[in-house]
Amino acid sequence: MHVRDRSSYRFVILGAGLSGLSLARAFARAGVRDRIAIVDAKPAFRDDRTWSFWDIDANGDAGLAAGRWHAWQLIDARGAYVQRSDKAPYVALRSADFYASARSEIEDAGYEISLGERVADVTESEIGCVVTTGRRRISADIVFDARGLSAAMVGASPVIQRFVGRRITSKRDVFEPGVATLMDVQDDTGDGFHFYYVLPFTTREALVENTYFARAPIATARLEAELDAYVMRRYGRTIAETDYREIGAIPMSTARIPHARTRRVVPIGLRGGCARPGSGYTFHRVAMQTAALVQAFAPHDSPLTEISYALAPPACDALLIAAARHAPSLLPGAFAKLFATTDGDRVARFMMDRAGALESFPVLAASALGAAQTLLARCNASASVAPSSSAPAPVVSR
């Protein structure tokens, strides 16, 4: 039997977040008992993320959910548009709960989790890879790179979904726990499509996020200040913050991601194109990618060939991203029409990449009609205030 030295592994996973832990856990469930190491620069696991998705496949992780909603809504200046589904609830998982569950299975399998270890370099050869950290050199047959968003991904993306979030509590009942607010749409500021996101866990506790589909970077301080103002405006002075903070950025692009797979280094998670370009939903795609990777790599005789493990972006995502970049003022109308005219089950399947072409068409049609109606209304409004031919045209500066 071939005996490896203590710095040699079959698989090394760079990153102990959602993607890295999901893959390691999946190898454990598949009965892989080779040496596997998970390496991450963070010093400890922190509760700093909330992952949400529609549970249309009875996802096992949904049992960890901190919140579950069979109704969700969009709010704009005209009112609220509510969708419902008995089959596909919208669920939210706290990262602390996911980390604890995944780590238990990973450690039971005997895999190594090493925190506080920053990767300096990854080199690849015909016979394997060498990962160099501040502590050691690690040999691996295959490296899975789950280190998340990179500067190259930000630079290559025409639109970035930028958000900050907090969990807040109230001294009185101010939240409606039966309905999740996926979008509280705000006026166009010229920076992109802007909305707030509210997940009410109880009548007195909620996650509130300030989100932009932004064409240029938006400072965290500004996002925080806007979130403060929104919470005060909507819920008043009875609100107290918890110690939870969430800050994130998700690239919105249908272009090929900068981190291409090589023979022995496989980008996964955000680096592997898991975030759906038009929405940023990632959790369900990580599960799909993980299943494909385990099927390909768990067997000892698996060839090191190209495999299909990432989902192609739906055609509608390219349209949404183009609108977010060039005409974000059309998006409120597009989303309002979608929420007002489409049933919840169809939207859930569409958002979770389960809808075929025929099932997707009503979603696309509703969104396109809403955008067209918004554009027509703007044109009519402009025409109604157009200056007469005898009056000089006004001068507008930006």
Side-chain angles (χ1 to χ4, degrees), residues 200-233:
F201 299 111
T202 70
T203 58
R204 298 192 179 193
E205 181 186 6
L207 169 67
V208 184
E209 291 183 355
N210 181 15
T211 303
Y212 278 84
F213 292 176
R215 295 167 290 185
I218 296 177
T220 300
R222 171 182 163 183
L223 295 171
E224 293 273 11
E226 290 177 348
L227 184 58
D228 287 339
Y230 176 80
V231 169
M232 181 64 70
R233 184 169 66 250

Side-chain angles (χ1 to χ4, degrees), residues 7-25:
S7 62
S8 180
Y9 301 83
R10 184 180 176 202
F11 302 130
V12 169
I13 300 171
L14 307 181
L18 171 62
S19 300
L21 294 182
S22 292
L23 182 58
R25 182 184 63 177

Side-chain angles (χ1 to χ4, degrees), residues 17-153:
L18 171 62
S19 300
L21 294 182
S22 292
L23 182 58
R25 182 184 63 177
F27 279 134
R29 290 177 175 179
V32 175
R33 291 298 177 260
D34 299 275
R35 297 194 71 220
I36 297 177
I38 305 99
V39 179
D40 198 298
K42 62 176 173 264
F45 287 100
R46 296 191 304 112
D47 187 16
D48 59 358
R49 287 287 182 270
T50 300
W51 295 298
S52 299
F53 57 93
W54 280 269
D55 185 24
I56 65 175
D57 293 327
N59 186 302
D61 286 318
L64 302 172
R68 180 180 299 266
W69 301 269
H70 286 278
W72 52 88
Q73 66 182 348
L74 175 145
I75 300 172
D76 65 13
R78 293 167 292 184
Y81 307 88
V82 181
Q83 294 179 334
R84 302 180 185 277
S85 174
D86 293 327
K87 302 176 183 177
Y90 191 75
V91 300
L93 275 67
R94 295 174 175 172
S95 58
D97 297 329
F98 173 82
Y99 291 154
S101 176
R103 287 172 62 195
S104 175
E105 293 188 57
I106 292 167
E107 290 166 354
D108 285 347
Y111 302 162
E112 173 189 320
I113 300 177
S114 180
L115 302 182
E117 189 166 9
R118 185 173 299 278
V119 173
D121 186 47
V122 179
T123 57
E124 179 180 1
S125 69
E126 284 297 316
I127 62 172
C129 295
V130 174
V131 177
T132 303
T133 74
R135 301 179 189 170
R136 55 180 171 159
R137 287 164 58 87
I138 310 169
S139 299
D141 292 342
I142 299 291
V143 170
F144 296 100
D145 191 348
R147 286 178 290 175
L149 191 68
S150 69
M153 295 180 71

Side-chain angles (χ1 to χ4, degrees), residues 6 67 129 131 135 151 158-159 194 275 306 311 365 395:
R6 297 306 298 170
C129 295
V131 177
R135 301 179 189 170
V159 177
H194 181 205
E306 189 70 32
L311 291 169
V395 176

